[in-house]
Amino acid sequence: MTVIKVKTGEGTSFVNITGQVRQVVRTSGVKSGICLVYVPHTTACVFINEGADPDVMKDIAYALEKVIPWRDRYAHAEGNSAAHIRSALIGNSRVVPIEEGDLLLGTWEAIFLAEFDGPRERKVVIKVLKEE
Ligand code: ZN
């Protein structure tokens, strides 16, 4: 298991962690298997989407704000319910296949850590499992 630390910006931010995850996979020496990427935080999540055009992340943030607005009639006293809901819906882990010692991502795909109540320093747990 490897744990990497990621600093996030104010409010909602998306951090491309593909390079760090890829480095962990290469260092592991596993040629074929799976890579688990897990975020142990309740206002953060991890997902895979386009890494080429930063406007895609802007649009995802825009759409999340429309669907799950920051201010609404939430009960949670901490005042960050929207961050919890966005994190719960997107999910706190992803699994990526490993082939030929590398992540089997699509051409335009990247792995993102998203934080919805930043700034924070977040942990990302990476587990590389070898196929028997
Ligand atoms: Zn909270």
Side-chain angles (χ1 to χ4, degrees), residues 63-96:
L64 282 170
E65 179 59 36
K66 276 214 302 194
V67 177
I68 308 151
W70 186 257
R71 290 184 199 287
D72 209 326
R73 282 177 280 168
Y74 303 119
H76 179 48
E78 198 189 2
N80 63 352
S81 273
H84 290 296
I85 296 163
R86 293 170 191 179
S87 164
L89 289 180
I90 295 170
N92 60 0
S93 71
R94 288 293 189 272
V95 173
V96 184

Side-chain angles (χ1 to χ4, degrees), residues 37-111:
V37 184
Y38 171 77
V39 181
H41 302 286
T42 63
T43 60
C45 64
V46 61
F47 67 97
I48 295 168
N49 212 280
E50 173 162 339
D53 180 1
D55 281 346
V56 174
M57 290 307 120
K58 277 190 201 162
D59 289 346
I60 289 175
Y62 168 76
L64 282 170
E65 179 59 36
K66 276 214 302 194
V67 177
I68 308 151
W70 186 257
R71 290 184 199 287
D72 209 326
R73 282 177 280 168
Y74 303 119
H76 179 48
E78 198 189 2
N80 63 352
S81 273
H84 290 296
I85 296 163
R86 293 170 191 179
S87 164
L89 289 180
I90 295 170
N92 60 0
S93 71
R94 288 293 189 272
V95 173
V96 184
I98 298 165
E99 284 307 328
E100 296 174 15
D102 199 3
L103 295 167
L104 195 67
L105 289 171
T107 306
W108 306 109
E109 283 187 322
I111 306 167

